Amino acid sequence: VQLQASGGGLVQAGGSLRLSCVASGGTVSSYSMGWFRQAPGTEREFVAAMRWSGGATRHADSVRDRFTISRDNAKNTVYLQMNSLKPEDTAVYHCAAAPRGLIFSSLSDYARYTYWGQGTLVTVSS
């Protein structure tokens, strides 16, 4: 499956953005889908994920109550709605897909994801 992320940009602190991840060559409902981010000089960080079966979601503590992952099967797209953005949210955001069978507790493990999009840059100014 190929993944194409978009929706990044420059926004002021407190603002909102919605990232999109369009899948081709596979259906998002057949994969567990995740969002990860990486700021310069830092390691890749888990943001949010949705399990393929049942759609259970998991969000990192740092974004809980501000970010929401969702999925539109008809559009074969996964979204990350980001509200109340902070300067520390500045990073390149990547979407990723993991094969079926990924258990809920492993959704935050980037090593479990097989397919990755190219990333979209989010910059939050103070």
Side-chain angles (χ1 to χ4, degrees):
V1 61
Q2 292 79 46
L3 305 173
Q4 180 73 40
S6 63
L10 174 63
V11 63
Q12 289 187 331
S16 298
L17 283 174
R18 188 178 76 161
L19 306 184
S20 300
C21 177
V22 179
S24 58
T27 57
V28 294
S29 58
S30 298
Y31 297 85
S32 288
M33 301 296 297
W35 286 97
F36 294 80
R37 67 186 182 186
Q38 189 166 19
T42 69
E43 295 187 352
R44 197 174 325 184
E45 176 188 17
F46 168 73
V47 177
M50 175 180 286
R51 196 164 179 265
W52 68 276
S53 176
T57 62
R58 184 172 180 178
H59 296 77
D61 290 343
S62 59
V63 306
R64 190 169 291 120
D65 298 328
R66 299 189 298 123
F67 293 9
T68 303
I69 187 172
S70 63
R71 182 177 70 195
D72 186 331
N73 293 337
K75 295 183 178 180
N76 213 25
T77 300
V78 174
Y79 301 99
L80 183 68
Q81 178 66 44
M82 305 186 296
N83 300 326
S84 302
L85 282 160
K86 304 175 181 180
E88 51 263 44
D89 295 319
T90 295
V92 176
Y93 284 71
H94 298 268
C95 62
R100 290 185 181 188
L102 187 64
I103 61 176
F104 185 80
S105 60
S106 295
L107 285 174
S108 60
D109 183 357
Y110 72 84
R112 301 299 186 101
Y113 289 78
T114 305
Y115 307 99
W116 291 83
Q118 86 291 355
T120 184
L121 176 62
V122 172
T123 303
V124 184
S125 63
S126 58

